[in-house]
Amino acid sequence: METVAVAPPAGVPVPVTLRKLYFFRFAFAAVWAALLFTSADALGPLSTALLLIYPLFDVAAAVVDVRSARANGGPTTPLYANIAISSLTVLALALAATSGIPAVLRVWGAWAVTAGIVQLVAGAVRRGLGGQWPMIVSGAISTLAGLSFVTQAGAEDPSLSSLAGYAFLGGVFFLVSALRLGRGGHGSA
């Protein structure tokens, strides 16, 4: 749920690239969540690789989104902020993975809170552009989920399984956005 999606102003055609990106983000999140869920009880090679791949994918998706936003005259500042936050998260997760699941949950939680706040604020600011409610809701959920990950880090037997659900839900928000973009209507907020 990390990448801030930028909706174009009313009357601006939605680029096919952005719609495809959102569908791809949903598919990636679904596959990633399924793979992480199968390895969520331990920090092995698969789960560690998955933990690093997710924010790297987020960076790549944000770069594609920046190109689309630039081509349509949309705002790019939240996307650049997301690129920086997700890039730092990759490094922090690499370090946290050497310390165990609680450290990973704390880093992921901090990332979810930070990225969620950016997404929530960006969606609220761009409400007038239409189609922003999924982004506002996603940002709020990400912020709350991040706090729960930090709390889960202190549990007796922490697991990464909640991260899989978080990623899948984020993918669903991208699917909803892609379908809305396909309709061509932006509705209110």
Side-chain angles (χ1 to χ4, degrees), residues 71-151:
N72 291 297
T76 57
T77 302
L79 295 168
Y80 283 119
N82 187 68
I83 290 169
I85 291 166
S86 294
S87 296
L88 290 172
T89 299
V90 173
L91 299 174
L93 282 170
L95 292 172
T98 65
S99 297
I101 290 176
V104 167
L105 288 171
R106 286 182 188 99
V107 169
W108 198 282
W111 179 37
V113 167
T114 307
I117 290 170
V118 168
Q119 190 172 9
L120 177 65
V121 169
V125 168
R126 295 187 310 244
R127 253 188 4 249
L129 298 176
Q132 294 301 303
W133 281 112
M135 295 301 104
I136 292 169
V137 171
S138 179
I141 290 171
S142 184
T143 302
L144 295 173
L147 295 172
S148 77
F149 298 146
V150 172
T151 302

Side-chain angles (χ1 to χ4, degrees), residues 12-15 30 33 35 45 48 56 58 64-65 75 80 119 135-136 152 155 165 168 175 185-186:
V12 174
V14 176
L35 289 171
T48 300
L56 284 172
D58 195 56
V64 171
D65 209 347
Y80 283 119
Q119 190 172 9
M135 295 301 104
I136 292 169
Q152 290 172 29
F168 182 75
L175 177 61
H186 296 289

